[in-house]
Amino acid sequence: MPSGKNSAPTVKDTFVRQIEDMILSGELEVGSRLPSERELAEKMKISKTAVHDGICDMVRKGFLDVVPRQGIFVGDYARNGTLEALESIMRYDGGRLNTQNKAALLEMRGAVEGLALKKVIEAADPKVLEQLRAILAEAEALAAAGGPEVCRQLAECYFRFHHLICVASGNALAPLIFNAFRAPSVSIWAASAGALGLQNSVGRLRTFVETIEAGDPDAALQHLRFVIGEPSE
């Protein structure tokens, strides 16, 4: 069985993405009834096995409900969805979020990373600080070199930096939640780097390192609130 990040999507994966995108776009509304598995297979020209397995996946995520003797219905994923549903929402439309979801993402990031920052500063692990400094140095080098892809490259650095904070916090769920935000977060950070200018953008990362080095959780949280409160961020 193919594995790894570069594996081509299976027929089931493609089916799941099509249905989820229809739900997330509003084309299929919560509570609306889907055709039967047989009808879906015939309409989409795929096997009933792929349809059945895909529906099981979407039921597990919270996108669909199967009611015995009644049919398949779009579930209330906002209320009952799992972390996998969140990943699908973050992936939808290439990670380009509407204003409401972008605000929700930044609010959630503040909650998750705020807790993680406090724990990292309290632990004062020199190895973690060394790793954070290394990512900052990489970002500074990228900003100095410039280039057509530099904003995207910086955004990837920023994601690794903040994800490391979540990992180093010792909270097992923090990095998993942060991973779900990867696509839209990188997109937002890339746009922010272009809007702020490379040096100003990297300067925000430098401030995080300085507050962590100083062992000042209040300053770190204040800076986090400033960063996520910026419209460009």
Side-chain angles (χ1 to χ4, degrees):
M1 178 181 295
S3 61
K5 293 182 179 179
N6 295 322
S7 298
T10 64
V11 172
K12 183 204 75 174
D13 294 336
T14 301
F15 166 70
V16 167
R17 176 163 291 194
Q18 288 175 329
I19 298 298
E20 288 181 353
D21 284 357
M22 292 170 71
I23 293 171
L24 292 170
S25 70
E27 183 178 347
L28 290 174
E29 297 181 350
V30 173
S32 60
R33 182 177 178 177
L34 271 64
S36 69
E37 291 186 9
R38 179 183 58 79
E39 292 169 327
L40 285 169
E42 290 176 354
K43 181 179 180 180
M44 306 188 82
K45 302 186 186 309
I46 60 177
S47 72
K48 286 188 289 185
T49 299
V51 169
H52 176 77
D53 291 347
I55 288 172
C56 289
D57 280 2
M58 287 182 279
V59 167
R60 187 184 68 250
K61 294 179 184 181
F63 283 112
L64 296 179
D65 293 322
V66 175
V67 181
R69 295 186 295 279
Q70 293 187 38
I72 308 163
F73 298 86
V74 177
D76 187 352
Y77 60 89
R79 181 184 295 272
N80 302 316
T82 65
L83 186 58
E84 288 179 286
L86 176 60
E87 291 173 349
S88 294
I89 293 168
M90 293 296 121
R91 169 204 53 80
Y92 173 67
D93 196 25
R96 293 182 288 273
L97 302 181
N98 59 31
T99 302
Q100 181 180 3
N101 282 342
K102 185 179 290 186
L105 166 64
L106 294 176
E107 185 177 14
M108 181 60 71
R109 179 190 158 195
V112 172
E113 192 174 353
L115 171 65
L117 267 172
K118 288 178 67 176
K119 287 181 173 292
V120 166
I121 291 172
E122 288 169 1
D125 186 337
K127 291 182 180 178
V128 172
L129 187 53
E130 183 180 351
Q131 290 175 302
L132 293 173
R133 288 193 192 109
I135 297 175
L136 171 61
E138 182 181 344
E140 289 173 333
L142 285 169
E149 294 295 322
V150 67
C151 288
R152 182 77 183 185
Q153 292 167 337
L154 282 174
E156 294 287 353
C157 277
Y158 299 160
F159 180 85
R160 287 192 285 113
F161 182 93
H162 294 287
H163 183 259
L164 174 58
I165 288 173
C166 289
V167 172
S169 73
N171 184 302
L173 293 182
L176 297 178
I177 295 171
F178 209 78
N179 270 333
F181 302 154
R182 183 184 185 100
S185 292
V186 168
S187 223
I188 291 169
W189 274 317
S192 178
L196 292 170
L198 302 183
Q199 294 303 324
N200 286 337
S201 177
V202 173
R204 291 184 167 191
L205 204 67
R206 189 179 302 110
T207 299
F208 275 116
V209 171
E210 290 170 352
T211 58
I212 294 170
E213 284 178 329
D216 191 341
D218 291 337
L221 292 174
Q222 183 178 0
H223 182 55
L224 177 63
R225 285 192 292 269
F226 165 73
V227 166
I228 66 176
E230 290 289 321
S232 60
E233 189 72 356

